[in-house]
């Protein structure tokens, strides 16, 4: 199974986020990579009712794939589904309502999905959550950690058994370039010590996603408002942001690429800046994964 991390790479230069950077990179794209039909293949996309998730769902629907949209808000999800069906002509689009921050419900959802559906070819972990202030979910976990990290871990791990029944199963986790300014920190997973900075907490969670994806690959061989305001005119469109996710999810070329790595603009790139201080030790990474597993078990229904 292939697991990928996809992102607009941050702080190699803010220009990496821009439309111009995408247009420059797209000159080397092999267009036939996406000239494929995925009819008969099924794709689960979290956060599929807006932004990159919606653009990803639309692109896959147009290629004939069955799309399972996993969203928090039913009204917004149904509105997005109707548009996707109307524009793509594909009626195999299904809405599932789930709040990834409610981690016990993530377990329940994944187990119910496995009972109802016989196959899943691709899981795209796209949904993300950034909080203005620290909040806890009903299980007493910091809400953005529960949504961005633990919920993603639980959903992915629970669905691996179903994914592995498919030909060329893939897991794509949409990260963020913000993780390039963060080193993995395992001593404050709940962000309950020190001042709560939502943007930096989010960036840390994206670093945690990168480590998680690396480690899971080994075992199976809302955007920042101030930044968005200042960069509005030059930021990538949702379709441009979704391009690498779609490429990783559907192309034969991506199937030949190494699993568990960090991809930007259809190529594998480093998950760290040159000479970066953000690298973690194997011991730290194993401790992090053990912490996730322990937390996940406390949320699992018995």
């Amino acid at each position: 199974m292939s697991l990928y991390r996809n992102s607009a790479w941050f702080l190699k230069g803010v220009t990496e986020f821009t439309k111009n950077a995408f247009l420059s990179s797209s000159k080397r794209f092999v267009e036939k990579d996406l000239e494929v039909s995925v009819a008969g293949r099924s794709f689960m996309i979290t956060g599929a009712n807006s932004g990159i998730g919606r653009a990803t769902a639309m692109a896959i629907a147009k290629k004939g794939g069955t799309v399972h949209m996993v969203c928090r808000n039913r009204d917004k999800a149904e509105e997005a589904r109707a548009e996707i069906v109307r524009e793509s002509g594909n009626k195999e689009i299904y809405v599932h309502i789930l709040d990834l921050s409610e981690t016990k419900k993530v377990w329940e959802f994944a187990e119910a999905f496995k009972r109802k559906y016989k196959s899943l070819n691709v899981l795209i972990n796209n949904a993300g959550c950034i909080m203005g202030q620290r909040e806890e979910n009903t299980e007493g976990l910091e809400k953005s950690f529960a949504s961005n990290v633990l919920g993603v871990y639980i959903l992915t791990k629970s669905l691996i058994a179903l994914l592995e029944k498919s030909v060329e199963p893939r897991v794509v986790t949409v990260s963020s370039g913000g993780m390039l300014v963060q080193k993995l920190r395992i001593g404050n997973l709940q962000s309950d010590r020190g001042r709560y900075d939502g943007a930096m907490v989010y960036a840390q969670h994206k670093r945690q996603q990168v480590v998680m994806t690396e480690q899971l690959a080994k075992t199976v061989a809302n955007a920042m408002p101030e930044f968005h305001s200042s960069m509005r005119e030059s930021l990538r469109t949702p379709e441009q942001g979704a391009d690498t996710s779609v490429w990783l999810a559907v192309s034969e070329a991506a199937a030949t690429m190494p699993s568990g790595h960090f991809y930007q603009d259809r190529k594998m790139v480093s998950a760290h800046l040159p000479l970066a201080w953000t690298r973690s030790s194997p011991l730290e990474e194993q401790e992090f994964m053990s912490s996730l597993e322990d937390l996940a078990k406390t949320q699992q229904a018995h």
Side-chain angles (χ1 to χ4, degrees):
M1 181 188 304
S2 296
L3 296 93
Y4 305 100
R5 292 155 297 166
N6 169 38
S7 171
W9 195 17
F10 185 60
L11 283 186
K12 186 187 173 195
V14 173
T15 55
E16 295 294 338
F17 280 104
T18 64
K19 296 176 184 177
N20 287 340
F22 177 83
L23 293 173
S24 177
S25 294
S26 67
K27 293 176 182 178
R28 59 171 172 75
F29 291 174
V30 179
E31 290 307 314
K32 69 177 183 179
D33 282 355
L34 295 186
E35 293 174 1
V36 297
S37 169
V38 291
R41 292 173 64 83
S42 61
F43 301 76
M44 180 184 290
I45 307 170
T46 65
N49 62 275
S50 64
I52 291 175
R54 187 169 180 158
T56 303
M58 180 71 79
I60 290 172
K62 287 181 176 179
K63 298 180 186 303
T66 296
V67 178
H68 295 279
M69 302 171 60
V70 179
C71 310
R72 286 190 305 171
N73 184 294
R74 182 172 294 278
D75 290 342
K76 292 180 180 179
E78 292 292 353
E79 178 186 346
R81 178 191 179 276
E83 181 187 352
I84 291 168
V85 170
R86 183 170 59 251
E87 188 171 327
S88 69
N90 184 346
K91 295 183 179 179
E92 296 297 306
I93 315 297
Y94 302 96
V95 166
H96 306 269
I97 303 304
L98 175 68
D99 185 341
L100 281 168
S101 73
E102 299 297 330
T103 45
K104 287 184 178 178
K105 292 181 180 178
V106 177
W107 277 117
E108 294 169 1
F109 166 77
E111 294 305 308
F113 188 91
K114 288 190 292 187
R115 289 193 295 270
K116 185 173 182 179
Y117 297 96
K118 295 181 180 180
S119 67
L120 179 65
N121 297 93
V122 180
L123 168 63
I124 302 178
N125 291 310
N126 167 78
C129 166
I130 183 169
M131 308 291 294
Q133 61 185 20
R134 189 181 186 278
E135 295 181 27
E136 293 185 355
N137 68 4
T138 54
E139 284 87 39
L141 298 169
E142 194 272 320
K143 205 165 187 177
S144 62
F145 169 77
S147 180
N148 296 332
V149 184
L150 188 57
V152 172
Y153 176 80
I154 290 172
L155 184 64
T156 303
K157 187 165 185 184
S158 183
L159 291 177
I160 280 176
L162 182 61
L163 285 159
E164 287 182 330
K165 294 178 181 178
S166 305
V167 177
E168 289 187 2
R170 309 181 191 187
V171 176
V172 180
T173 299
V174 182
S175 188
S176 164
M179 66 92 187
L180 290 168
V181 303
Q182 289 285 317
K183 182 183 187 299
L184 176 67
R185 302 187 189 283
I186 59 177
N188 191 25
L189 294 179
Q190 301 299 320
S191 301
D192 53 0
R193 297 198 299 274
R195 185 177 72 89
Y196 187 90
D197 182 329
M200 287 300 100
V201 168
Y202 178 78
Q204 172 62 205
H205 292 164
K206 291 304 179 179
R207 170 59 68 187
Q208 291 172 10
Q209 285 183 350
V210 167
V211 173
M212 180 201 316
T213 303
E214 284 180 342
Q215 296 304 312
L216 286 175
K218 289 178 181 178
T219 63
V220 296
N222 294 320
M224 293 173 279
E226 293 179 1
F227 176 78
H228 187 274
S229 177
S230 65
M231 293 289 292
R232 182 180 297 129
E233 296 303 317
S234 56
L235 282 174
R236 298 181 182 201
T237 65
E239 290 74 20
Q240 290 171 339
D243 178 82
T244 298
S245 292
V246 176
W247 181 80
L248 287 169
V250 307
S251 74
E252 293 183 4
T256 67
M257 303 299 287
S259 176
H261 288 269
F262 191 71
Y263 288 82
Q264 177 209 350
D265 290 340
R266 304 193 193 181
K267 68 177 181 179
M268 186 170 66
V269 298
S270 174
H272 301 274
L273 293 170
L275 304 178
W277 52 272
T278 54
R279 300 179 190 276
S280 49
S281 69
L283 179 59
E284 289 172 319
E285 293 174 355
Q286 287 303 314
E287 288 179 357
F288 169 64
M289 294 301 291
S290 294
S291 296
L292 279 187
E293 181 65 14
D294 290 344
L295 284 170
K297 286 179 179 177
T298 67
Q299 306 303 305
Q300 189 172 9
H302 297 287

